[in-house]
DNA sequence: ACCTGAACACCGTTCAAGT
DNA sequence: ACCTGAACACCGTTCAAGT
C-alpha cells in the first residue's frame, strides 16, 4: 500500500541532475535510507536506469549530491538573518535559557553585545544543521559515510569553513584555529546526529505518541541497563529526560566556546605547538 | 591472486558466534567494508550461509557484534595501566607538549599531580579509541551506522559510561554531567574518526609512500580549494600539515576539558538548567 | 542442536540500441 | 546529446533436508 506514484506530471520538464537529486532527497525523506533504489528512482522519474546513469556516475555520487544539497541549504538558511529559535515550535521555553546562562559562555572582548556576535553565528550554524538532521533522518549517516569515503569531499569543507570564519572572528590566535574549529565541528555533528538518531529510534518504537512519551521510552532504555555496570548512565538518564534537546545541544556548544575562549586568554604564542608557524 | 584461504586448519573447532565475529573482523580489516560478505565468510569458515544464520540473526547484527568487540577491546586496554603514548612510534616529540601546556588544561583541585588523574584517564580512553580506529579503518563508519540504527545499542553506553565516570571524578556538578560527557564523547568519536578517514584516504591515494608525503597529499587537497570560497581552510591547511595527528587530537581534548572545568568553577547550582534536580 | 547448500528476491550497474 | 530497457553479476536471506 501507500507509495502513491506522483508521476501524474506527464513527462514535463526533461531529466536533469538536479531533478534526480531532488527526487533522491524526497525518496530518502519518505522511504528512508533503504528506500532509495534505482528502481524506485526510475519509477518516480518515469525513466530507465540508463537515463539516470547518464547524469550521475553511481549511487555513491548520488548520495553525496543529496547530502551536499541538504547541508548547503542548511548553511545558507542562517546566513541572512539568524533565526535560532524560529523552529522551536513545541519548546518555546528554550528561549529564556538560550541566552547568557550557563557559565558565562565566552563573550569575547569587543563584539559582545552585538546582535550577531561570532558566538551567535556559530549557534545559528549549529542549529541549522541540527534542524536539517531532524528533517532528514538519513543525513547523519550519509554525512558519516561521505566523511569516511572522502574527508575532503564538498560537505566537510563547507561546514568547516563556515565555523572556521567565526572562530577567527572570535579572536582565537592562529595557532589554535584548527583545534578550535575541529572541536566545534565534531561536537555539532556528533550531538546533532545523536539527537536525530534518538528521535528516529523513538519514533520507530512508538510511531505516533507524544514527544514527552517517547522521550520516556528513550531514557527508559538507559534506565534499564544494569546499575552495577552502568552507574553513570543510570544517573544521567533521569536528567536527560527532563531536558529539552535544543537546550542540551546549546549547552554543549557553549561549553566548547568557553574552552576556546579560555584557550586564547591564556597564551597568544601558540600553546599546544611550540614549534608551529 | 592474494586471498590465500587460510582454511588449512581442517575443520578443527566447531563454529561459534565468537569465531564468526572474529572472522568478520579479520575480513573487515583485510578486505575493507565491502569485503565482508556472507560468501567470503562462508569460504573462510568453510561452511554454508545457513550455519552462520544459526548463530547470528543478520548482517547488521554481525556488524554490530564486530564493532562491539573492537570497541570493548579498546576500552579494556587502557584500564589496568594507562599507556597514553606507548604507540607513538614516529612522533616521540609529542611527549613534552602533551603535558600542562595549552591553556592550563583543567587540572582539578585535588587529584592534580596524581599519576592517574581523571584527565589522564580520559586521555587514555580517547587514545584507545583513536588507535582502534587507526587499526580498523571500518570502525568509524560502523560506529556511526550503529549509532543511527540504535543509539542505545551496546557500544555507545560503553563509551559514555567510561567517559562519564571520569567526568564525575572531575568534580563536575551533577547538573552538567550529561553536557560534559556528551561534549567529550562527540569530540573524541568525531576527531578520531576524521583522523582515521584521513589516513585511509591518503593511503588510497598514495598506497605506499611515507607518512610525511601522504600528509602532504592530504592537506594539498585543501590547499587546492578556491581561496575566495575557502579562505579559512586554506589558512589552516599549512598548519595541519605541520602538526602531529595525536598532538592535535590531544589539544582538542584539553580544550573540551578546559571548558568543562570553567563550567563547574562558575556556578554549582546548575547553570543551563535552572529547573533540574 | 547444529549444519548443508540450492534457491529466491532484490539490487547496482552495463550496454547495445534507439532518437 | 540524451534516453530505453533487457541483461548481468552479486548480494543477503530462506528453508527443506540432513546429522
Amino acid at each position: 500500500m501507500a507509495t502513491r506514484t506522483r508521476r501524474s506530471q506527464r513527462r514535463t520538464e526533461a531529466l536533469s541532475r538536479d531533478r534526480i537529486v531532488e527526487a533522491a532527497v524526497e525518496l530518502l525523506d519518505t522511504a528512508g535510507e533503504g528506500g532509495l533504489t534505482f528502481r524506485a528512482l526510475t519509477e518516480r522519474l518515469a525513466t530507465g536506469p540508463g537515463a539516470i546513469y547518464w547524469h550521475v556516475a553511481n549511487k555513491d555520487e548520488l548520495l553525496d549530491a543529496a547530502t551536499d544539497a541538504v547541508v548547503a541549504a542548511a548553511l545558507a538558511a542562517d546566513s541572512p538573518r539568524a533565526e535560532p529559535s524560529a523552529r522551536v515550535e513545541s519548546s518555546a521555553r528554550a528561549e529564556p535559557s538560550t541566552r547568557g546562562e550557563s557559565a558565562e559562555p565566552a563573550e569575547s572582548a569587543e563584539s559582545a553585545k552585538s546582535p550577531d556576535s561570532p558566538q551567535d553565528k556559530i549557534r545559528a550554524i549549529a542549529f541549522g544543521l541540527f534542524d536539517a538532521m531532524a528533517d532528514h533522518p538519513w543525513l547523519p549517516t550519509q554525512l558519516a559515510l561521505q566523511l569516511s569515503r572522502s574527508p575532503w569531499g564538498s560537505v566537510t569543507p563547507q561546514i568547516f569553513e563556515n565555523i572556521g570564519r567565526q572562530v577567527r572572528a572570535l579572536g582565537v590566535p592562529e595557532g589554535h584555529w584548527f583545534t578550535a574549529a575541529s572541536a566545534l565541528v565534531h561536537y555539532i555533528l556528533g550531538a546533532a546526529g545523536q539527537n536525530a538518531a534518538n528521535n528516529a529510534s523513538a519514533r520507530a518504537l512508538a510511531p505516533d505518541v507524544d514527544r514527552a512519551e517517547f522521550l520516556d521510552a528513550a531514557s527508559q532504555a538507559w534506565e534499564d541497563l544494569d546499575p552495577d555496570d552502568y552507574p553513570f548512565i543510570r544517573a544521567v538518564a533521569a536528567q536527560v529526560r527532563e531536558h529539552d534537546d535544543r537546550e542540551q545541544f546549546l549547552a554543549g556548544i557553549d561549553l566548547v566556546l568557553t574552552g576556546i575562549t579560555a584557550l586564547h586568554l591564556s597564551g597568544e604564542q601558540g600553546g599546544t605547538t611550540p614549534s608551529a608557524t
Side-chain angles (χ1 to χ4, degrees), chain A residues 79-93:
Chain A
S79 203
R81 186 96 281 272
E83 36 174 345
S85 48
R87 320 181 48 129
V88 180
E89 293 163 12
S90 60
S91 62
R93 67 189 163 114

Side-chain angles (χ1 to χ4, degrees), chain A residues 73-74 76-88 95 98 115-116 120-121 123-125 127-128 131 246:
Chain A
D78 48 32
S79 203
R81 186 96 281 272
E83 36 174 345
S85 48
R87 320 181 48 129
V88 180
E95 232 199 303
T98 267
D116 264 26
D120 283 339
K121 286 184 184 163
R123 295 185 190 111
I125 295 169
F127 277 110
D131 290 334
R246 304 176 70 91

Side-chain angles (χ1 to χ4, degrees), chain A residues 38-39 42 47-56:
Chain A
F38 275 81
R39 321 237 186 231
T42 56
T47 58
I52 296 176
Y53 274 94
W54 197 90
H55 293 279
V56 154

Side-chain angles (χ1 to χ4, degrees), chain A residues 97-98 123 127 245-255:
Chain A
S97 58
T98 267
R123 295 185 190 111
F127 277 110
D245 289 339
R246 304 176 70 91
E247 231 174 299
Q248 195 70 257
F249 181 61
L250 185 68
I253 291 171
D254 285 349
L255 188 156

Side-chain angles (χ1 to χ4, degrees), chain A residues 10 31 79 105 170 199 201 203 247 265 267:
Chain A
R10 280 290 204 80
S79 203
L170 228 37
N199 287 354
S201 290
R203 207 155 28 231
E247 231 174 299
L265 283 183

Side-chain angles (χ1 to χ4, degrees), chain A residues 202-203 205-221 241:
Chain A
R203 207 155 28 231
L205 287 181
D208 43 21
V209 295
D210 196 51
R211 230 195 109 70
E213 218 160 329
F214 87 23
L215 264 182
D216 237 34
S219 70
Q220 189 60 46
R241 170 162 31 193

